[in-house]
Amino acid sequence: MLSAIVYHSLTGSCKKYAELLSAALHIPAFPLGKEHVKEGGKIIFIGWAFAGTIKGYKKAAEKYDVAAAVLVGMGAVSEGSAGFVREKNGIPASVQVFCLQGAFDLNKLPLPFKLITKIKCK
């Protein structure tokens, strides 16, 4: 049985997905580092994408039994996305992997990411 949804959000998309899933499954959602879940509890983890990695996944996987990992990013999602994400993050076959589209808000990015993104967008 799932204990909670734990998320790590940068611009808010992961938080929104966690809240929607929380409402649908009737289980609580917590930001990573502020969760109230017993160590070893079964969770769904939702994290933002950075170069194919799910930010915060490794920390969550060390502490909890992750039933599903969700990557939220700006890249196009395809049939091969989950396989790539699984391999890049070292996610075991027993964990379901999902890739979702996130929102883009330049103003919510931390300064280093904002500068890099401005350069890439030109």
Side-chain angles (χ1 to χ4, degrees), residues 61-111:
E62 289 171 359
K63 196 171 181 182
Y64 303 111
D65 177 11
V66 179
V70 182
L71 174 128
V72 179
M74 294 304 302
V77 178
S78 68
E79 286 184 34
S81 297
F84 172 77
V85 169
R86 180 182 305 282
E87 184 179 321
K88 181 92 176 182
N89 292 275
I91 300 172
S94 61
V95 176
Q96 293 290 319
V97 176
F98 301 93
C99 300
L100 299 174
Q101 190 75 42
F104 178 75
D105 187 344
L106 187 64
N107 296 321
K108 289 184 179 179
L109 293 175
L111 185 59

Side-chain angles (χ1 to χ4, degrees), residues 21-48:
L21 199 53
S22 173
L25 299 176
H26 306 290
I27 57 175
F30 303 104
L32 183 64
K34 296 183 181 181
E35 65 273 14
H36 301 285
V37 182
K38 188 170 81 172
E39 197 161 319
K42 189 172 249 184
I43 67 160
I44 295 173
F45 182 76
I46 303 174
W48 57 282

Side-chain angles (χ1 to χ4, degrees), residues 106 110-120:
L106 187 64
L111 185 59
F113 292 132
K114 190 182 290 189
L115 295 173
I116 291 168
T117 305
K118 279 185 177 180
I119 291 168
K120 285 187 172 189

